[in-house]
């Protein structure tokens, strides 16, 4: 079981690896073939590295970019809120007394639950919160704040139950009898009213409950122990200090001066670098008497750290992007420069110059097209030069081949005209020579015309299915006698099966006659001429072999040129016109075939290959 599991795991692992590797390879190949994708990926990579470089520089320079600032605002705001809570606490005690649980509706309305208890709540409140009832907000606030204790009382005039243990003995909320209501809101329900049976006796809630001085002092001391160095005072309207925290040395205040200090502190409240003593003054109605809660303190410094803005990370990111993008695209730019230099070389006529194909993307394809263009232009120029050379040779050869027989014809005709002959038999001989030269001149002109027509207009073909075996056999029978007269032996090799080719028989007979005629004409005597017909795949190849001596192999490539003769000493008198093989090549190529020559030892082989029918 274990080997089977191992093989199964191996197959699964192989499939997994192929499923991952093959898409990666295909993606890489597609990217390598697309210059656009390469540039997009290079740009994205450079952006990512530039961002990383900017972040790294920012971290490395964070130490010397970090600065600090000193602020006193937070300590001032903490002190202000602590004093405000103390005022509200005193108001709540006077409003509900020590038995506030009997007034749940009033307890829910308590503003204590809305006060900020943390520094975050303090920061959120400081922009929108009014300074409350502090005199630091302005002189006119004094009168409005004087009734703050009364304003927090319930607006309803409905009677509330009277605490049984509260008595107006001046001992504060911890007395054993309830205090009598004081102030305009002290009017309660009629005491003579008989309570409803089964219900507790109800009476209206008092307007305020007197606060025990010991409780006031305890509240001041507790608030002074909270964070923040401050001195708290409760003074009357004349400036006399009624209560104060431990360590506070003031016993009387000048009210106008105190109001001015409070207003000045409010004016400099937002100055973050101001560390001089500040004053808060809040009016409060304490035990029915107009009083003021005064706070004096020197703010503590709050040090905060922040990072200074600098363009160094941005500069580092831009420099990294430019440098990396230049380095990535450097190779592509070198390819473009090489192609530009290659175009300059080609434009100057150096068509042999080739642009290196160093990539598989559009630049590599463009370099390949440039090289192909240069090759085609070079080949066209070589063909044009060759054509021009052959044209010059044609003019020279035609002039020579036409002038020689024409000169003989004119010479013999002049002899006949001047009657410069001995007898009629010699005159007839002159006439026969002139006629023969005229015939050869006509044949040369016809072949020249035929070659020009085939080269410029193409060979008109009347194709039909022809058995190559029979065609070669008939031609061989005709040339056996000619070969024997020249001391040559003609040997024919035919395949057992009949091979058919779609051809123009008249044109192809002309090709094979030219090959056999040249073999008879240029073969040494005695020798053997061999004609072989064979099948090669879907082609039929006819080979004519005769003995010959070529001084150079390069001459084989020139055998099919116009007016080229294997023996340079031969002229049109002893050799052919030099157009036979050129015409034969045109005919074979018109049949979509191929004709060429090979040399093997002392033998020359001419091959003609045609497509089978």
């Amino acid at each position: 079981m274990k080997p089977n599991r191992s093989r199964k795991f191996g197959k699964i692992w192989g499939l997994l690896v192929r499923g991952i590797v093959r898409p990666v390879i295909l993606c890489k190949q597609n990217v390598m073939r697309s210059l656009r994708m390469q540039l997009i990926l290079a740009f994205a990579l450079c952006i990512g590295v530039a961002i990383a470089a900017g972040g790294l520089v920012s971290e490395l320079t964070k130490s010397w970019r970090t600065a600090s600032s000193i602020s006193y605002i937070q300590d001032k705001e903490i002190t202000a809120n602590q004093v405000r809570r103390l005022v509200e606490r005193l108001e709540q005690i006077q409003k509900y007394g020590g038995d506030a649980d009997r007034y749940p509706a009033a307890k829910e309305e308590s503003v204590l639950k809305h006060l900020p208890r943390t520094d975050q709540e303090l920061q959120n409140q400081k922009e929108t919160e009014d300074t409350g009832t502090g005199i630091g907000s302005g002189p006119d606030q004094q009168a409005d704040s004087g009734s703050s204790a009364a304003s927090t009382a319930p607006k309803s005039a409905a009677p509330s139950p009277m605490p049984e243990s509260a008595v107006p003995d001046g001992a504060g909320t911890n007395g054993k009898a309830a205090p009598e209501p004081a102030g305009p809101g002290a009017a309660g329900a009629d005491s003579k009213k008989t309570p409803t049976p089964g219900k507790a006796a109800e009476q209206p809630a008092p307007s305020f409950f007197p606060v025990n001085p010991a409780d006031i002092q305890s509240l001041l001391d507790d608030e002074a122990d909270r964070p923040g160095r401050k001195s708290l005072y409760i003074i009357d309207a004349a400036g006399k200090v009624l209560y104060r925290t431990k360590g506070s040395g003031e016993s009387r205040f000048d009210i106008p001066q105190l109001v001015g200090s409070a207003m000045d502190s409010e004016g400099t409240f937002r100055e973050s670098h101001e560390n001089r003593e500040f004053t808060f003054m809040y009016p409060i109605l304490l035990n029915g008497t107009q009083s003021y809660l005064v706070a004096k303190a020197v703010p503590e410094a709050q040090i905060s750290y922040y990072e200074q803005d600098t363009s160094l990370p941005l500069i580092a990111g831009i420099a990294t992007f430019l440098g990396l993008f230049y380095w990535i695209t450097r190779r592509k730019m070198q390819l473009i420069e090489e192609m530009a230099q290659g175009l300059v070389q080609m434009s100057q006529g150096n068509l042999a110059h080739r642009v290196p194909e160093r990539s598989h993307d559009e630049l590599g394809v463009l370099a390949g097209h440039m090289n192909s263009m240069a090759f085609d232009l070079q080949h066209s120029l070589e063909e044009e030069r060759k054509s021009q050379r052959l044209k010059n040779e044609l003019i020279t050869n035609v002039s020579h081949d036409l002038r020689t027989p024409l000169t003989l014809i004119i010479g013999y005709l002049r002899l006949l005209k001047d009657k410069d002959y001995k007898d009629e038999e010699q005159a007839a001989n002159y006439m026969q020579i002139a006629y023969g030269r005229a015939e050869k001149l006509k044949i040369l002109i016809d072949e020249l015309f035929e070659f020009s027509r085939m080269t410029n207009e193409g060979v008109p073909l009347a194709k039909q299915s022809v058995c190559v075996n029979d065609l070669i056999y008939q031609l061989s029978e005709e040339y056996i006698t000619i070969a024997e007269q020249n001391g040559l032996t003609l040997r024919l090799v035919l395949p057992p099966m009949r091979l058919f080719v779609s051809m123009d028989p008249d044109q192809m007979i002309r090709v094979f006659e030219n090959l056999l005629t040249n073999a008879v004409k240029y073969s040494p005597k005695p020798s053997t001429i061999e004609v072989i017909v064979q099948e090669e795949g879907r082609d039929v190849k006819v080979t004519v072999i005769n003995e010959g001596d070529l001084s150079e192999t390069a001459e084989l490539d020139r055998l099919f040129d116009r007016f080229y003769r294997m023996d340079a000493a031969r002229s049109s008198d002893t050799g052919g016109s030099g157009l036979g093989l050129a015409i034969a090549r045109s005919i074979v190529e018109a049949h979509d075939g191929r004709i060429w020559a090979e040399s093997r030892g002392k033998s020359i082989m001419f091959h003609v290959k045609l497509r089978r029918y």
Side-chain angles (χ1 to χ4, degrees):
M1 295 298 292
K2 290 184 178 180
N4 293 334
R5 287 184 178 180
S6 300
R7 285 195 296 269
K8 185 176 182 181
F9 178 77
K11 290 181 180 179
I12 295 175
W13 177 253
L15 292 174
L16 181 62
V17 171
R18 285 194 297 269
I20 296 176
V21 173
R22 286 182 179 177
V24 172
I25 294 176
L26 291 176
C27 182
K28 179 181 177 182
Q29 291 176 352
N30 292 330
V31 170
M32 295 300 294
R33 293 173 183 172
S34 175
L35 180 61
R36 183 182 293 106
M37 289 299 300
Q38 294 176 24
L39 292 178
I40 291 175
L41 292 178
F43 187 81
L45 176 63
C46 293
I47 287 291
V49 174
I51 293 174
L56 179 61
V57 172
S58 178
E59 288 296 325
L60 294 177
T61 59
K62 184 177 181 180
S63 58
W64 60 268
R65 290 190 300 106
T66 302
S68 61
S69 63
I70 300 176
S71 174
Y72 301 93
I73 295 179
Q74 185 176 1
D75 190 57
K76 292 181 180 180
E77 292 180 346
I78 292 174
T79 302
N81 280 280
Q82 290 175 349
V83 174
R84 189 181 300 112
R85 283 198 297 267
L86 178 58
V87 172
E88 292 172 348
R89 178 59 179 163
L90 291 173
E91 291 177 349
Q92 290 295 321
I93 291 175
Q94 293 183 91
K95 181 178 180 181
Y96 300 113
D99 198 11
D101 292 337
R102 298 184 60 184
Y103 301 91
K107 184 178 180 181
E108 292 178 0
E109 294 176 359
S110 175
V111 297
L112 290 175
K113 65 180 180 179
H114 300 294
L115 293 178
R117 301 302 180 189
T118 63
D119 293 342
Q120 181 64 34
E121 295 178 1
L122 175 63
Q123 295 295 332
N124 296 335
Q125 182 183 353
K126 67 180 182 179
E127 297 296 335
T128 58
E129 185 183 50
D130 191 7
T131 53
T133 58
I135 292 182
S137 301
D140 296 336
Q141 192 177 5
Q142 201 171 15
D144 296 336
S145 301
S147 59
S148 60
S151 64
T152 58
K155 301 299 181 179
S156 175
S160 300
M162 184 72 167
E164 297 177 357
S165 61
V167 294
D169 57 354
T173 59
N174 296 327
K176 296 183 179 180
E180 292 183 1
D190 189 359
S191 60
K192 296 181 180 181
K193 185 176 180 179
T194 303
T196 305
K199 295 184 180 180
E202 295 182 358
Q203 56 185 354
S207 60
F208 74 91
F209 293 89
V211 185
N212 192 335
D215 293 341
I216 297 175
Q217 186 64 47
S218 177
L219 288 173
L220 290 179
D221 293 339
D222 291 342
E223 197 67 38
D225 292 337
R226 294 179 181 273
R229 297 173 299 172
K230 55 185 174 294
S231 298
L232 300 177
Y233 303 89
I234 294 180
I235 63 176
D236 58 11
K240 181 181 178 180
V241 176
L242 302 179
Y243 305 93
R244 62 185 177 185
T245 56
K246 296 177 181 180
S248 300
E250 300 289 340
S251 61
R252 177 175 291 276
F253 288 94
D254 185 2
I255 296 298
Q257 184 179 1
L258 187 62
V259 172
S261 298
M263 295 180 66
D264 185 59
S265 295
E266 176 66 19
T268 59
F269 186 79
R270 298 299 176 184
E271 295 293 331
S272 61
H273 299 288
E274 187 66 39
N275 62 342
R276 63 188 178 87
E277 184 183 55
F278 60 91
T279 302
F280 290 118
M281 185 176 181
Y282 288 88
I284 181 173
L285 190 63
L286 185 61
N287 292 334
T289 304
Q290 180 65 45
S291 304
Y292 300 95
L293 178 60
V294 179
K296 284 181 170 291
V298 177
E300 294 183 354
Q302 302 292 331
I303 301 176
S304 59
Y305 298 92
Y306 63 94
E307 294 182 10
Q308 294 179 343
D309 293 334
T310 177
S311 58
L312 188 60
L314 178 61
I315 295 174
I318 293 175
T320 303
F321 174 84
L322 295 178
L324 184 60
F325 192 79
Y326 173 80
W327 182 78
I328 292 177
T329 58
R330 178 185 57 181
R331 186 170 177 267
K332 298 300 179 183
M333 295 306 299
Q334 289 177 353
L335 293 179
I336 295 176
E337 292 176 358
E338 288 178 353
M339 286 190 291
Q341 294 175 0
L343 285 176
V344 172
Q345 293 288 335
M346 295 174 187
S347 64
Q348 293 177 354
N350 184 14
L351 297 178
H353 179 78
R354 294 293 181 267
V355 178
E357 302 177 22
R358 305 183 187 276
S359 63
H360 301 286
D361 52 16
E362 290 84 354
L363 293 180
V365 174
L366 180 59
H369 290 337
M370 291 174 59
N371 293 334
S372 299
M373 178 190 68
F375 176 79
D376 294 340
L377 288 176
Q378 185 180 16
H379 181 70
S380 299
L381 288 177
E382 290 177 354
E383 289 293 328
E384 184 178 354
R385 291 169 184 171
K386 182 179 178 181
S387 177
Q388 187 66 28
R389 188 185 75 251
L390 292 177
K391 180 179 179 181
N392 295 333
E393 291 179 358
L394 174 63
I395 295 174
T396 302
N397 293 330
V398 168
S399 300
H400 177 269
D401 290 344
L402 292 180
R403 183 180 61 183
T404 300
L406 188 58
T407 300
L408 291 175
I409 292 172
I410 292 174
Y412 283 106
L413 290 178
R414 183 180 291 111
L415 290 176
L416 293 173
K417 178 183 177 183
D418 296 340
K419 297 182 180 182
D420 188 6
Y421 50 86
K422 297 179 180 180
D423 49 22
E424 293 294 331
E425 183 179 357
Q426 189 178 18
N429 189 24
Y430 288 169
M431 184 68 69
Q432 185 64 32
I433 294 174
Y435 180 77
R437 295 297 179 179
E439 286 288 337
K440 295 193 70 172
L441 183 60
K442 180 180 182 301
I443 293 173
L444 177 61
I445 293 174
D446 290 342
E447 288 186 351
L448 182 61
F449 175 76
E450 184 69 15
F451 175 77
S452 299
R453 185 175 65 85
M454 289 182 179
T455 304
N456 297 328
E457 300 178 3
V459 182
L461 301 177
K463 289 186 177 182
Q464 55 182 309
S465 180
V466 178
C467 180
V468 180
N469 308 50
D470 299 339
L471 180 65
I472 297 300
Y473 180 78
Q474 293 177 5
L475 286 175
S476 300
E477 289 293 328
E478 295 177 4
Y479 274 85
I480 287 177
T481 304
I482 299 174
E484 291 177 350
Q485 291 175 356
N486 289 273
L488 302 172
T489 302
L490 183 62
R491 189 165 67 92
L492 182 63
V493 179
L494 298 176
M497 60 181 301
R498 294 165 61 86
L499 304 177
F500 289 87
V501 174
S502 177
M503 65 171 71
D504 186 338
D506 295 335
Q507 297 291 345
M508 290 306 302
I509 287 174
R510 186 174 182 178
V511 171
F512 295 127
E513 284 181 345
N514 186 279
L515 296 179
L516 292 172
T517 300
N518 287 338
V520 171
K521 188 180 297 183
Y522 295 105
S523 295
K525 282 75 173 176
S527 61
T528 301
I529 299 174
E530 189 175 7
V531 180
I532 302 174
V533 179
Q534 57 185 341
E535 179 185 9
E536 286 191 356
R538 298 184 59 185
D539 297 329
V540 177
K541 185 171 75 172
V542 180
T543 304
V544 179
I545 305 174
N546 66 286
E547 295 183 8
D549 186 14
L550 289 178
S551 58
E552 296 180 1
T553 307
E555 288 185 290
L556 293 174
D557 298 331
R558 300 191 61 193
L559 290 177
F560 298 95
D561 292 345
R562 295 169 291 185
F563 296 102
Y564 179 78
R565 296 182 178 89
M566 294 178 59
D567 188 357
R570 293 177 181 266
S571 63
S572 59
D573 296 335
T574 57
S577 63
L579 294 174
L581 290 178
I583 294 174
R585 182 174 64 178
S586 299
I587 294 174
V588 172
E589 289 178 352
H591 283 81
D592 297 327
R594 182 185 173 205
I595 183 171
W596 73 98
E598 291 180 352
S599 176
R600 183 177 301 171
K602 293 184 178 181
S603 299
I604 300 176
M605 297 177 290
F606 288 89
H607 304 282
V608 177
K609 183 179 287 188
L610 299 171
R611 179 70 63 180
R612 289 184 58 185
Y613 179 71

